[in-house]
Amino acid sequence: MIEPILRKLYPSFDPAPIENVRLRADPEIREAILWEYSLEPLLPYAVDPKRLDEEIQEFMRLHGTLFAIRTAMRWVGFSNIRFIPLSHFEYEVDPRHIPSEREIEAIRAALFVSVQARGKLKRIFHGSFEVKYE
């Protein structure tokens, strides 16, 4: 749709180098795509960036759903996490082990990018371990 306009304005323009930019594995491209989708908080915690590249379209389409939350958790290394909705926008998380400080940050980043806008993490817990948020 925009290509004919660009060709008219810039006759020497060749779109071939940028047509499949999302399929490239360059770290700079990945960071730009994550920024475009507002997923850059996941960059420090992404366990398998290739998996993230493969699943990002489906994730964005289902943003705010339990599927998106579980997908984001898997991206940061929590495939067996227990997610407990308290209401439509408040929730608790049990990572099934006592998480380190970095794991807590990864959980918060994954939830930040995957839940609906008014979503609120109330606590992260496991057994007697508990971190509450207000």
Side-chain angles (χ1 to χ4, degrees):
M1 186 166 119
I2 196 167
E3 187 178 341
I5 297 168
L6 288 174
R7 288 200 182 278
K8 186 175 180 181
L9 291 172
Y10 307 100
S12 62
F13 173 71
D14 181 19
I18 60 170
E19 282 179 340
N20 295 321
V21 73
R22 287 193 164 101
L23 301 177
R24 294 175 47 194
D26 301 345
E28 297 83 21
I29 298 298
R30 179 177 296 115
E31 288 179 24
I33 291 169
L34 291 176
W35 176 82
E36 178 184 348
Y37 291 126
S38 299
L39 297 177
E40 70 273 9
L42 295 180
L43 272 176
Y45 312 107
V47 174
D48 184 5
K50 186 173 173 70
R51 177 179 236 178
L52 195 143
D53 292 344
E54 294 168 356
E55 298 175 345
I56 197 166
Q57 295 296 324
E58 186 74 5
F59 173 82
M60 292 310 294
R61 190 172 71 76
L62 297 170
H63 184 268
T65 65
L66 188 55
F67 171 84
I69 294 165
R70 292 203 184 281
T71 300
M73 288 296 183
R74 199 172 54 249
W75 288 343
V76 297
F78 290 94
S79 58
N80 191 23
I81 201 160
R82 193 168 136 219
F83 178 80
I84 305 162
L86 300 174
S87 69
H88 290 295
F89 59 92
E90 293 180 327
Y91 43 87
E92 297 178 340
V93 173
D94 178 5
R96 300 194 190 264
H97 68 275
I98 297 176
S100 68
E101 195 64 37
R102 180 169 170 78
E103 289 176 325
I104 289 173
E105 291 171 8
I107 291 169
R108 294 190 69 194
L111 290 172
F112 176 75
V113 301
S114 62
V115 299
Q116 63 276 29
R118 66 179 182 165
K120 192 183 243 186
L121 175 63
K122 294 306 267 180
R123 74 179 180 141
I124 298 173
F125 70 97
H126 180 73
S128 62
F129 173 83
E130 180 177 64
V131 177
K132 288 187 174 185
Y133 301 98
E134 284 300 321

